[in-house]
Amino acid sequence: LWEKMWRRTTLTVKALFVSVSMGWGFWLLTDLWQSTQIQTIFHQEQLDKLEIQALHDRLLFDDYIRKQEQSVRLISYLTPLVQWIAANEQNGSATPVFKEWTAGNRPPWLPPPSIMRNMVAASYVLLLDGNKKLRESYTQEEGLPPLSTHFLNQVLPHLLASDEHSHIASDTQGTTYLINVSGVMGQKSSEQPKAFLVLVVALNADFLSLFHVRSDSDGIVALFNGDTNRVIASNQPDQVQEGRSLDELNQEYDIIGKKFLDYNFSIDIPIHFAS
């Protein structure tokens, strides 16, 4: 039937049909090419913006890490802590005290809240004697579990034996911590510190969210275990969950980051920072 209709159709109609078909095909191809070009340009612009944001995020993160180092050193030199160490120096064998840090139960040697605000993000504050034995331990959050026995008896003494004052380490439960240490020299400077102040904070979603509130971005920042390439923490755990692999996330997101965080201090596991 179609063959008979085509034979009876005039040459003009045939030429018009072929022209329309070719024009329609050319339009489709042109539209497809333009769409592909637009998507490529848009994606590149997104990558450029992400690269700028990633650099900004990394600088903020670096600054936040450094402020933890500065905080522990500042507190260790303040008069209240020095006087507290001197007054309790004779009680070096006292049983460790574990307390929850509340408004009515703060370490008496800490600066007032007005000074502490936005300075220390540490979840745990430890005070050790001159022999590096635990004397006092405080947690800043209600219901926060105490540091594991393995961390206190094996990880922490190993870190304190080094000359480094800052560390990134993990315990047997897989929690990764930032640990900052400063010696307390006492009222008169001496070769050996009279005590040691240790600030410990888990590198988790809460820590990332605290630093990232300074950013004007609604993007996601994450930490990866450099050995397994799996997420340790992200500031939006509902979007990027702990334990997800880098390969899996690369199928859903554009990711730009630093392959390895190197702050010239002790690092137990390599950590990647990414936006």
Side-chain angles (χ1 to χ4, degrees), residues 107-176:
W109 35 264
L110 275 181
S114 58
I115 297 178
M116 292 289 292
R117 190 175 295 114
N118 297 325
M119 187 175 75
V120 177
S123 304
Y124 304 89
V125 179
L126 313 179
L127 187 60
L128 288 68
D129 62 21
N131 296 319
K132 301 177 181 177
K133 300 296 183 182
L134 183 62
R135 281 278 305 280
E136 300 179 36
S137 174
Y138 295 86
T139 61
Q140 287 201 61
E141 301 174 25
E142 183 178 356
L144 196 68
L147 292 167
S148 67
T149 303
H150 176 265
F151 180 88
L152 294 175
N153 295 339
Q154 297 186 41
V155 175
L156 189 58
H158 172 71
L159 298 177
L160 292 175
S162 72
D163 296 329
E164 304 290 346
H165 296 284
S166 297
H167 315 265
I168 290 179
S170 60
D171 62 12
T172 54
Q173 299 173 346
T175 304
T176 304

Side-chain angles (χ1 to χ4, degrees), residues 173-219:
Q173 299 173 346
T175 304
T176 304
Y177 294 101
L178 170 66
I179 303 105
N180 298 111
V181 183
S182 179
V184 184
M185 305 308 294
Q187 294 178 327
K188 294 183 179 181
S189 297
S190 61
E191 294 183 359
Q192 294 295 330
K194 297 292 185 181
F196 293 89
L197 178 64
V198 183
L199 303 183
V200 182
V201 58
L203 295 180
N204 54 22
D206 292 337
F207 183 83
L208 291 183
S209 296
L210 281 172
F211 108 84
H212 200 243
V213 294
R214 305 180 182 190
S215 172
D216 56 0
S217 168
D218 60 353

